[in-house]
């Protein structure tokens, strides 16, 4: 991948979490259409993010006092520290405003502003509540992707056909297992199973032969033939 492409993707990532701050302040979510179900995952990391943000604020104040007699260094560190605090808040804002989305035909999984994966419901073979800590992808033969929050996932989705997952820097990988975290994992599994079953029923109904339509569309006997038969019978 070229350096320009990498920088472009990094800049797009920065823009996404900056935009998320505005959506967070407005208490709105991105990409959740009417009728879709938002599956939140930000709760698992909230305490850690807010705690780290507090530490960054304390550090900013401390450095401001220590560097009061060095205006240039003070200005540089103040900008860096303020940006760090803003970035930590943006991390949480992106997770809150970009939840997983369960639609009528697609499961849209997101990892804040970093990446997202769209999984067609007809490709989902199994869903289960599966609380586990992140492990190396090599243990799954490279065929699994984990969207962890707080170092853990709680839902495992196995696919009948692979989907393509694109990383932050554009790396593409074909995966047949997706693990993600949801704050209410059991409810997410239940609703996902229901949507998958409903999608399968719709697909089966659409593929069923139209026997009634064929019978209704059959050509009726020719009127002349039926009349002729009647005359023959009357003779």
């Amino acid at each position: 991948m070229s350096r320009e492409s990498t920088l472009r993707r990094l800049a797009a990532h920065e823009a996404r979490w900056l935009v998320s701050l505005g959506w967070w302040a407005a208490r709105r979510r991105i990409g959740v259409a009417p009728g879709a179900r938002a599956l939140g995952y930000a709760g698992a990391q909230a305490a850690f993010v807010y705690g780290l943000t507090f530490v960054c604020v304390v550090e900013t104040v401390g450095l401001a006092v220590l560097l009061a007699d060095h205006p240039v260094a003070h200005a540089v560190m103040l900008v860096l520290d303020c940006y760090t605090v803003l970035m930590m808040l943006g991390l949480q804002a992106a997770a809150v405003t970009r939840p997983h989305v369960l639609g009528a035909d697609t499961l849209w999984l997101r990892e804040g502003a970093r990446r997202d994966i769209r999984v067609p419901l007809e490709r989902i073979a199994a869903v289960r509540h599966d609380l586990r800590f992140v492990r190396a992808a090599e243990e799954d033969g490279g065929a699994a992707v984990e969207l962890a929050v707080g170092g853990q996932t709680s839902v495992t989705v196995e696919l009948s056909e692979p989907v393509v997952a694109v990383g932050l820097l554009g790396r593409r990988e074909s995966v047949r297992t997706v693990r993600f975290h949801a704050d209410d994992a059991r409810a997410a599994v239940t609703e996902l199973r229901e949507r998958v079953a409903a999608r399968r029923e719709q697909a089966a109904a659409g593929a069923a032969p139209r026997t009634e339509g064929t019978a209704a569309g059959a050509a009726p006997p020719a009127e002349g033939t039926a009349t002729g038969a009647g005359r023959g019978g009357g003779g």
Side-chain angles (χ1 to χ4, degrees):
M1 179 181 295
S2 65
R3 179 180 300 178
E4 292 77 9
S5 178
T6 300
L7 292 176
R8 188 164 53 249
R9 286 183 173 274
L10 289 175
H13 172 255
E14 295 288 307
R16 285 194 295 271
W17 68 252
L18 283 170
V19 168
S20 296
L21 286 168
W23 284 74
W24 193 28
R27 297 180 178 275
R28 298 177 61 187
R29 294 174 298 186
I30 301 172
V32 182
R37 169 73 186 276
L39 306 176
Y41 55 86
Q45 69 179 26
F48 171 77
V49 172
Y50 293 143
L52 191 56
T53 301
F54 176 76
V55 171
C56 292
V57 171
V58 172
E59 180 189 17
T60 300
V61 175
L63 286 176
V65 173
L66 291 175
L67 299 176
D69 296 332
H70 305 277
V72 175
H74 170 68
V76 171
M77 292 306 300
L78 182 61
V79 170
L80 291 177
D81 286 339
C82 288
Y83 181 79
T84 301
V85 171
L86 189 66
M87 184 170 59
M88 294 304 302
L89 292 176
L91 175 66
Q92 182 66 8
V96 171
T97 60
R98 299 170 184 269
H100 306 311
V101 180
L102 178 56
D105 56 3
T106 304
L107 174 63
W108 184 10
L109 300 174
R110 299 191 278 191
E111 189 179 19
R114 289 175 56 84
R115 61 175 172 174
D116 57 78
I117 304 173
R118 294 179 185 268
V119 181
L121 295 185
E122 58 266 20
R123 296 192 186 185
I124 296 179
V127 184
R128 65 180 181 273
H129 177 248
D130 185 19
L131 183 62
R132 64 171 67 197
F133 289 97
V134 174
R135 61 182 182 181
E138 297 84 45
E139 297 182 24
D140 296 296
V145 65
E146 294 177 322
L147 306 181
V149 179
Q152 66 180 15
T153 60
S154 54
V155 180
T156 295
V157 177
E158 296 179 357
L159 308 177
S160 58
E161 298 179 37
V163 297
V164 176
V166 182
L168 175 61
L169 300 181
R171 178 187 175 189
R172 301 171 67 88
E173 54 182 330
S174 180
V175 298
R176 297 187 70 101
T177 302
V178 181
R179 300 189 179 97
F180 65 95
H181 178 72
D183 291 336
D184 192 349
R186 296 187 184 279
V189 169
T190 299
E191 185 150 359
L192 183 52
R193 285 174 176 171
E194 292 175 354
R195 293 283 181 103
V196 170
R199 185 65 178 172
R200 288 175 179 170
E201 289 177 1
Q202 291 177 359
R210 299 175 60 93
T211 54
E212 295 181 0
T214 303
E223 184 177 349
T225 305
T227 306
R231 284 200 301 266

